[in-house]
Amino acid sequence: MSILVAIAVPVVATYHGNCAIRLATCEVCDIIREARALALTSNNPIAVTFAPVTTAVSLVSDRGGDGRWNTADDSVIRSFKLSNKAGIHFGYGNCGPVPGLANEADGITFQTNNSMVCNQEMSSNAGTVYLMLCDSRVTALTVNSTNPKITIRECRCGQW
């Protein structure tokens, strides 16, 4: 019995980690798609904000009184924390950034205060957000400024 447990525990842990990072990737993609749809239908800018300290990903409808995205006075539609999903957080781990893409210390390359801002023309600012489960399990989600496609890359064994 102990031999079976010794074999099964690492396999189950790896499977759980893979499922958790895939689920988090899907949730971030869904919130980006929702932001684009809301920007189109409301005729107002809508943002997806990334908070590296709290690991929160938020769908935001208004910048609030300070006029800046990703601050305390934003009007948040919905939010979730990556850390609640098996301890996922932002970062590169041992993988480093995707070659040829921008590099930011927190693993979030959206330049508008860690926010992807969508407008009614279905365009947004470009950037990449890196989701990390451990040093070797990293997923990069890249958004182009004019193409609605989200490019997803996985780092495996230190290679993109």
Side-chain angles (χ1 to χ4, degrees):
M1 187 66 148
S2 50
I3 292 172
L4 285 175
V5 170
I7 293 170
V9 167
V11 171
V12 170
T14 300
Y15 179 75
H16 179 263
N18 289 338
C19 289
I21 200 156
R22 285 193 176 118
L23 178 63
T25 300
C26 288
E27 284 191 73
V28 173
C29 288
D30 287 346
I31 210 166
I32 289 171
R33 289 183 190 105
E34 186 176 352
R36 288 177 171 159
L38 286 173
L40 180 65
T41 59
S42 71
N43 209 27
N44 290 311
I46 304 289
V48 176
T49 62
F50 305 98
V53 173
T54 64
T55 73
V57 178
S58 302
L59 180 63
V60 178
S61 64
D62 185 69
R63 314 175 242 223
D66 66 4
R68 295 182 58 220
W69 294 105
N70 210 5
T71 58
D73 66 345
D74 290 352
S75 296
V76 176
I77 298 171
R78 70 181 175 98
S79 184
F80 66 90
K81 288 189 177 189
L82 293 171
S83 57
N84 291 346
K85 300 176 187 318
I88 296 171
H89 52 283
F90 301 109
Y92 304 113
N94 294 331
C95 298
V98 173
L101 296 182
N103 180 357
E104 291 290 333
D106 61 10
I108 305 163
T109 67
F110 291 98
Q111 295 301 306
T112 308
N113 200 24
N114 286 344
S115 302
M116 186 201 85
V117 183
C118 304
N119 62 36
Q120 56 274 21
E121 285 85 33
M122 294 292 291
S123 63
S124 65
N125 55 324
T128 301
V129 61
Y130 294 83
L131 309 180
M132 178 174 69
L133 178 59
C134 61
D135 285 346
S136 59
R137 280 193 217 156
V138 180
T139 300
L141 290 89
T142 302
V143 177
N144 186 301
S145 61
T146 56
N147 184 342
K149 181 181 171 190
I150 302 167
T151 303
I152 300 170
R153 297 174 180 91
E154 290 184 6
C155 176
R156 294 181 189 207
C157 302
Q159 300 292 317
W160 287 104

